Amino acid sequence: MKVVTCAAPTNIAVIKYWGKADAVLNTPLNSSLSVTLHQDQLQATTSVASGSALSRTRLWLNGQEQPVNSRVTTVVQEMQQLAQRVHKAAQETQQPLLLVSSNSFPTAAGLASSAAGYACLVAALAEFYHLSTADEEFPGQLSAIARQGSGSACRSLHGGFVAWHKGQRSDGRDSVAVPVADTLHWPELRAIVCVISDQQKDTSSTSGMQRTKATSPLLTYRVEHVVADRMKTMEKAILAKDFAAFGMLTMRDSNQFHATCLDSMPPIFYLNETSREIIRLVHRYNEQAGRVQAAYTFDAGPNAVLFVEEQHVQELVSLVCHCFPNSLNMTIKASMSFDCTPSRALLERMQSKVCCSSEDTFELPHLPDSVKMMYVSRVGGGTRVLSVDEALIDAVTGMPLSYQTAARSHPLSRPRSCLRSDQLLHYVVAAAIVVTSAVLLRK
Amino acid sequence: MKVVTCAAPTNIAVIKYWGKADAVLNTPLNSSLSVTLHQDQLQATTSVASGSALSRTRLWLNGQEQPVNSRVTTVVQEMQQLAQRVHKAAQETQQPLLLVSSNSFPTAAGLASSAAGYACLVAALAEFYHLSTADEEFPGQLSAIARQGSGSACRSLHGGFVAWHKGQRSDGRDSVAVPVADTLHWPELRAIVCVISDQQKDTSSTSGMQRTKATSPLLTYRVEHVVADRMKTMEKAILAKDFAAFGMLTMRDSNQFHATCLDSMPPIFYLNETSREIIRLVHRYNEQAGRVQAAYTFDAGPNAVLFVEEQHVQELVSLVCHCFPNSLNMTIKASMSFDCTPSRALLERMQSKVCCSSEDTFELPHLPDSVKMMYVSRVGGGTRVLSVDEALIDAVTGMPLSYQTAARSHPLSRPRSCLRSDQLLHYVVAAAIVVTSAVLLRK
């Protein structure tokens, strides 16, 4: 049995996508720009196989069989039809497929799992049907197909810094993702993903976008008059590796996206108390430094992603640990280790009255157990093909490996390193808390 | 000694004022529209006297002598100069003044005490110098003077429903308040003022407005393209007593004002968790009714003002009591009594899955001690002259009555009825909590 396996990264938008121009084509009201995160920390993996034993296409996600929804169906059909046109041999491309996917991080927790998942599906199907960008019938066709699964998935095909141009055509063919700078362009950049417990009801991205588009005058203005300039400014900041400009605009655009949510009727609140305290903390951190050294951004949920350059990542991680301590030790998934205790000098600067222009003295937040865990990541590459031994499908039995491995020490979430039991608990707690916060966080 | 005393109401903007066109003239970037609340619940009282014993103008507020700030000085000078021009006799109008003011409600707690206070000062000075609107050198001159004390004070001169037109002139003479509908126009309308504890740092209105004006693209759009239409729509809804239209636009405009705060850099957060839960509660209340029966609005702080018509006020009061219970009994200052227990039928409708279009079931909020007290008010009249026995200055001694009454059971905050000790505690707690939240909440 032929099995191919691919991996895909998540991406974090620094110019936000909010609002669909066409709900079926999944084209956006405005262009957006994202940073692809390294797959060491957050990764989706998908295996594809086909076989005569299958009577219909079936899908497993994180060890559970799922119904094949219309978006998956669309992506599979588009890829099969492209393969038929390119290769002329239609036989193979009409067989039902076995799709097995898993994430190395909590799914549907507002960590861009849909983006990674649909990008991974497109990559795996491309590999399965021997399609490359050279086979595209128009530039960016693969990303246009990924977009139909989940809008921001088109950006996860590429590494580095990626622009998703909203496009002009009514068929969506020019609504595609294009790299702005490559994976190695800004090696000092770090992203601290703070997984936050969410006690408030969420509005799914899809219904939230509909509501904002239908009711917010401010979104209309943002789409028509704000984003185009910001795309240019952001691209310039990235190309110049100008962290202050990059960080300032990242924060402003995150805030403006959430402002349009608040301008919706009824208003949509994605930020919670912890999110707001992180915002305050970052602004104070920049104030005491006298420049923009850190930036936050929030998608359609309370989780914070903090951008910072390498030389300040230890400071910021320690501040988050200090202000949002975990009653168990803070789990930090990263390629290096961090000290969770901020230096006394930093704490003094943060709380000093004279450091800052603010009228008030600053009290450091203290919200125990509100940040469940952190990933410290960097800029990473796009989708890639994995080796046979990383497959999620057994080539002999043609079954998802989860069935066979349930009793083995090979958890489906597939972190590369062994989990300590307290880390596992953190995963479980984080996953449990966020599971209600919408399978549809597809931004 | 001549003593005159006036009283003035607070007002609640339903089309919000945010952003100054001219910081000195205190002219606004956009027009606004407010509802004047009845003085039975929230009232400022000011006595004015003059005497040769005074070497300079002095000011007492709530029993404490305060420095005479530049805004008070401006208002006094403008009134004195007007009196000199009108009456030609300059002698009396050059003497220093004794100004004694008090509020029947927590001061600087985001309850429009500045609006009431400066309106009251203008009214008392007008009475003191025998000035009426007939003496105005241009239409709305008195409100233009009040505006220079605190922007929204100009609206508190009038009862009923009041528009503050931003004006076009560079001298601010046409930036004045004009009644839209009189005090008796909509007798069924009720306002439930929820005093909420505020544990987050506030940004003062003045500095908040500056920051939003300087940094928010969305405020610019709101000012230039949104408010003018909303003024017309709101006026129409009020004249038609169309609660659904009035309520919907009130909520939308409150949300949009807070959205522009969030779009500021750094972002400004005035709503807290309790505010957001009240927003959710009101939307659910309307959902279960199948129409807009209640509306919220929030100024530059977390306190909610809920509008509702008479036939629904008991229901909404009981829901607030139920969801935000006070560990002591909830203090409700109103001209009638309310049952704090919602009916079982209402609770069932609120939590029913089938009532509403929302995807999720609705859990009633439960945040004990987050709403400190409530005022249930209605539409009221403008400033008025009080009788001699309501003066805050002793005509014989020429001293603020607070000096003499400190030992008497006549608290300076002057609630008309006796305070129970637990009510007093509520006052003290509410006042203490909010005292840091800016003397400058002058919206």
Side-chain angles (χ1 to χ4, degrees), chain B residues 55 198 294 384:
Chain B
S55 58
D198 182 7
R384 59 200 173 92

Side-chain angles (χ1 to χ4, degrees), chain B residues 17 19-29 147 164 166 169 171-173 175:
Chain B
Y17 152 50
K20 298 179 194 297
D22 183 302
V24 175
L25 290 172
N26 229 6
T27 48
L29 283 177
R147 184 201 76 225
W164 172 15
K166 65 174 180 173
R169 294 172 55 114
D171 61 4
R173 283 191 170 201
S175 183

Side-chain angles (χ1 to χ4, degrees), chain A residues 215 221 252 256 273 276 361, chain B residues 215 221 252 263 273 276:
Chain A
T215 62
Y221 178 71
R252 294 188 72 149
Q256 185 168 92
E273 214 55 44
R276 281 184 292 277
T361 59
Chain B
T215 62
Y221 177 71
R252 295 188 72 150
D263 189 48
E273 214 56 41
R276 282 183 291 277

